[in-house]
Amino acid sequence: MANGCEHPAACHTGEAPILASATKKGRFWLLVEHAGPWAAELEECRLPDDVHRLISRARALDIRPQLIRRPGRREALTGPLHVYVAASAVDDPWLAEGFVGRPDDLDLGALVHGVVPESCILVNEPMYLVCTHGRHNACCARLGLPLARFLDENLPGEVWETTHVGGDRYAANLVCLPHGLYYGSMSQAAAIAAANAYRHGEVVLDRFRGRAGIPEPLQAAEHFVRAHTGEISVGGVAVESSRSVDDTTICVVRRTTERGTSRFRVVVEPTVFTAPCGLTCADGIPTYRLAELSELTPVLT
């Protein structure tokens, strides 16, 4: 069925592995409020020409464009274009809001240099995006819409429905900005736990897809170090260096705590998870396995 949900049930319940599946294209974000309707692709949406140009400029700069709307609201908008921009791939990620009279004037060049555009103001509260893009894949609306409404009731003003974020098989999908943390296979309980943890600068490993903007093997390496050490602070784990040998990725991962810094050698390899057959048999789901994890001895000078 076109745009339907043909995914194994395990993908939506959290039984299938979802680690290291966040988008690599989430280093910088452009979020444009548009009540809809949303076509299957952004380029097909009925948007003013200057908004289409803005989205094209964003793509050319490797900024991820998303349409957003408040849960349950479909009324047409008037006045200046309401946008958010976010930088996830900086030392101190940030989110900013703007009302733009001329979309052509929004300084996306500043964004990719980690600078807040002049027409935008920093926002201190986090933003939670729930994919509800049913025209892209039906399961995103079926599972995402009720989750968006639930989160909006519990976190008023911080939750937005959004277009395709990647990984339809993991609906319902939740993205926490500005850090670009991805969660999938979300139940209401899992989503509120992830959102509350993020407010306290923490990650919940259960159903955590990874951190957007970095390659999947590096996301896997970070995940395995978190699982090994129990480190849950958002900024507590990061890949310092990596190299690939055939399909194997070898990383040095830094863990930073109040007591100091430790480093781990992590080796990850691609593998495939085969979901149990239900009504139909799906293709295997790509994921990663841990081949080696060892703590590196500090070099004394």
Side-chain angles (χ1 to χ4, degrees), residues 34-79:
H34 176 65
W38 294 342
E41 304 295 337
L42 295 193
E43 291 77 9
E44 300 169 358
C45 291
R46 295 180 180 177
L47 300 169
D49 289 343
D50 54 3
V51 176
H52 274 299
R53 288 196 300 271
L54 178 63
I55 291 172
S56 295
R57 283 200 293 127
R59 291 195 191 279
L61 292 170
D62 205 24
I63 298 168
R64 185 176 183 92
Q66 300 282 146
L67 299 182
I68 59 173
R69 61 191 177 202
R70 288 297 189 186
R73 298 185 189 175
R74 299 294 184 271
E75 64 269 19
L77 303 173
T78 59

Side-chain angles (χ1 to χ4, degrees), residues 97-206:
E97 180 182 24
F99 291 88
V100 183
R102 287 175 47 85
D104 290 336
D105 293 339
L106 182 61
D107 188 359
L108 297 181
L111 173 58
V112 296
H113 285 93
V115 178
V116 179
E118 288 186 1
S119 53
C120 299
I121 299 175
L122 284 173
V123 175
N124 293 323
E125 295 299 319
M127 172 184 280
Y128 302 101
L129 303 179
V130 179
C131 180
T132 61
H133 199 173
R135 284 291 186 92
H136 194 90
N137 198 290
C139 60
C140 294
R142 178 173 61 86
L143 299 171
L145 285 168
L147 181 65
R149 289 193 293 266
F150 169 79
L151 285 178
D152 186 52
E153 292 170 358
N154 288 272
L155 301 167
E158 298 179 11
V159 180
W160 295 81
E161 296 180 23
T162 193
T163 47
H164 178 60
V165 298
D168 299 331
R169 64 164 63 100
Y170 304 120
N173 281 299
L174 172 69
V175 181
C176 305
L177 290 177
H179 286 82
L181 305 185
Y182 266 57
Y183 288 89
S185 309
M186 287 275 94
S187 64
Q188 292 184 353
I192 200 67
N196 286 334
Y198 186 57
R199 294 185 66 84
H200 292 89
E202 296 177 346
V203 172
V204 176
L205 275 189
D206 180 38

Side-chain angles (χ1 to χ4, degrees), residues 91 179 201-203 211 226 231-238 254-257:
D91 291 339
H179 286 82
E202 296 177 346
V203 172
R211 184 162 55 95
R226 288 188 183 278
E231 183 58 57
I232 59 174
S233 65
V234 170
V237 173
R254 181 186 68 248
R255 180 198 181 195
T256 305
T257 68

